[in-house]
Amino acid sequence: MLWCGCGVLLVLCIGPLSCLTASPCPAGCCCPRPGLLVLCESLGLRSLPRSVPLSTSALSVARNQLCNVDHLLRPFSSLQELSLSQNQLARFPRGLPPSLESLLLQENRITYITAGALRQLGNLTRLDLENNRIRAIQPGALQGLYKLQVLTLKGNNLTSLPLNLPPSLTHLDLSANCISALDLPSLSFLVNLQVLKINSNCLRSVPESAFDRLPRLRSVSLANNLWACECDILYLYRWLMSGRLKMATDLVCTQPVHLAHRLLLNLSVMAICPRVLRPNESMHRPHLNSALGRKLDMVTARQTQLSLFEDKRDLGERISKETTFAPFPKDVPEARLSLEHYTLESLTYEECLFLNKTQPVSPSQLKTVTSLSDEEQKSRDNITGRYPRSNTTSAEGTQSLPSTNRDGPWPTPDPRWFTQYKSAVVISLLAVLCVVVGLLMLAVLLVLKVVLRRQQRVAPLNAGSGG
């Protein structure tokens, strides 16, 4: 009986220590740092792995067969980065943890966004909904995301700009939709917007003063739309010719017929809108104020002077020389395998498996927080992913956006990791102390047992001598 009690005591003391030494990484997943960064991609999962630690900061379950994850991720109170890309989600997930800062939902089957879907996600800085089937976003659905900086809605079925967009946005991608008009109220509040992508839509013109209230705008993509090179497009023509943006040769007219397939900025004002410069209508220019009229006159005079010295081909060559594109780094694939910090967006599942086979990972190589400081944000203006390199209008030489978010500078490690590490050390010491105490108790019990046996032998001798 005594030995059974000692065995139970040892099991209770050694149990916590064995739990600490066991790996919390789910089967089939890749965990560069178990408990912080967990990648469970391309495993054919139909439900979330049950053994993912609740302390995980970055979780990717991309390229699986998940159909519904509502309220399953709510207990992950430390989760900051989540990728549910390339699954089979038919609606926006519900019950996500409020700690999320980056949410990737590309290539699912989401058709609409309700007003309450993102109500608890006030810490989001990046939301990627590329290549879904979104037809409508309820007014105010994105209004409460006061920290949102990057919003990607590329490749959906939107017919208009979402209403009540948060003014914190710096990058907005609405390319490859069905948008036929720009809504001035939706654009006027985006005072921090730097990059706007609205190429490959159904725009025919841009309304008056559409871009005038965007003081930080430095890059616009407008190509592959249904531009009607008529009087209504004179605002966009004047805005581009003013020299604010150095872009030029990618806006092609589709109407009228005699200007089809012509480059907008190779045309003159007379060709675009003949009635603007007619003497009998010079005082009655519809949709144009006097200041715009004067600027158009200056542009026309400038073009007339240029036509005396050079033809349109020379003009096109000069414009193309002014437009410069920042090349992509040639060593991006090699750099990914020698990164000093790993994040959900900087490390693919395949690279994770390769790293586990080739080199150990130190705790200082982890960083899962996606929020950027002001200085880091200035150096990482191109934070969004999957932007095309062409068809971009830039005020600073059209700096191209990288294909992913993995090529920017890397922040310092998260100090919260050291707190978790210290907690694990304390728990380990307590477990070891428990084992030592158990061994001491076992030794005390053995000594007591020996003493009791000796007393039992001495007692009969005393009784016999007394008789």
Side-chain angles (χ1 to χ4, degrees), residues 14 19 45 99 184 200:
I14 299 176
C19 294
L45 299 176
S99 58
L184 287 180
S200 303

Side-chain angles (χ1 to χ4, degrees), residues 443-454:
V444 171
L445 291 176
L446 292 175
V447 171
L448 291 176
K449 183 177 180 181
V450 172
V451 172
L452 289 176
R453 287 182 177 178
R454 289 183 177 179

Side-chain angles (χ1 to χ4, degrees), residues 306-317:
L306 289 173
S307 63
L308 297 175
F309 299 99
E310 57 184 9
D311 57 9
K312 294 181 180 179
R313 179 178 301 176
D314 296 333
L315 177 61
E317 291 177 357

Side-chain angles (χ1 to χ4, degrees), residues 186-379:
S186 298
L187 283 177
S188 60
F189 292 101
L190 303 180
V191 294
N192 294 306
L193 192 63
Q194 300 176 13
V195 177
L196 174 62
K197 287 184 169 290
I198 197 165
N199 52 289
S200 303
N201 276 277
C202 303
L203 294 176
R204 293 172 54 86
S205 63
V206 174
E208 185 75 18
S209 71
F211 300 140
D212 293 346
R213 298 182 180 180
L214 307 177
R216 299 188 179 181
L217 188 63
R218 61 173 182 77
S219 178
V220 180
S221 293
L222 297 167
N224 298 326
N225 278 282
L226 305 178
W227 299 115
C229 295
E230 299 172 340
C231 294
D232 290 339
I233 208 172
L234 284 178
Y235 165 74
L236 178 61
Y237 179 85
R238 183 265 302 176
W239 191 74
L240 295 175
M241 289 294 293
S242 65
R244 179 178 176 182
L245 297 182
K246 293 181 180 178
M247 156 189 171
T249 58
D250 58 349
L251 300 188
V252 180
C253 303
T254 59
Q255 294 179 357
V257 177
H258 67 281
L259 295 179
H261 309 296
R262 300 279 299 275
L263 297 177
L264 172 62
L265 296 187
N266 282 354
L267 302 176
S268 64
V269 176
M270 180 68 75
I272 296 173
C273 188
R275 61 193 174 94
V276 170
L277 298 179
R278 291 177 183 175
N280 59 343
E281 295 183 5
S282 59
M283 300 302 293
H284 304 282
R285 298 175 180 177
H287 308 292
L288 296 173
N289 53 32
S290 58
L292 176 58
R294 289 193 297 270
K295 290 182 179 180
L296 289 174
D297 293 338
M298 294 174 62
V299 172
T300 304
R302 179 185 176 187
Q303 288 185 340
T304 303
Q305 184 178 4
L306 289 173
S307 63
L308 297 175
F309 299 99
E310 57 184 9
D311 57 9
K312 294 181 180 179
R313 179 178 301 176
D314 296 333
L315 177 61
E317 291 177 357
R318 195 184 73 171
I319 293 175
S320 62
K321 290 179 180 179
E322 293 178 354
T323 305
T324 58
F325 293 90
F328 280 83
K330 298 181 179 180
D331 57 343
V332 169
E334 292 80 1
R336 289 181 183 172
L337 297 180
S338 60
L339 297 175
E340 295 183 356
H341 306 282
Y342 300 125
T343 67
L344 183 60
E345 298 173 6
S346 68
L347 188 66
T348 65
Y349 181 71
E350 292 77 9
E351 291 171 351
C352 176
L353 295 177
F354 178 79
L355 289 172
N356 282 352
K357 294 179 181 179
T358 57
Q359 60 183 4
V361 179
S362 62
S364 62
Q365 290 178 314
L366 293 171
K367 175 69 176 82
T368 59
V369 180
T370 58
S371 60
L372 299 176
S373 63
D374 294 339
E375 293 78 13
E376 291 168 343
Q377 181 63 36
K378 291 180 182 178
S379 64

Side-chain angles (χ1 to χ4, degrees), residues 414-433:
D414 191 350
R416 281 177 286 186
W417 179 88
F418 296 102
T419 303
Q420 296 179 356
Y421 178 75
K422 292 179 180 179
S423 301
V425 172
V426 172
I427 295 175
S428 301
L429 293 176
L430 291 177
V432 173
L433 182 61

Side-chain angles (χ1 to χ4, degrees), residues 142-168:
L142 305 171
Q143 190 172 9
L145 305 180
Y146 299 111
K147 298 181 180 180
L148 189 63
Q149 297 178 2
V150 180
L151 176 60
T152 304
L153 291 166
K154 177 182 178 181
N156 284 281
N157 298 321
L158 297 173
T159 57
S160 62
L161 265 67
L163 299 176
N164 305 119
L165 291 172
S168 58

Side-chain angles (χ1 to χ4, degrees), residues 24-38:
C25 190
C29 300
C30 182
C31 306
R33 179 59 184 174
L36 291 180
L37 178 58
V38 179

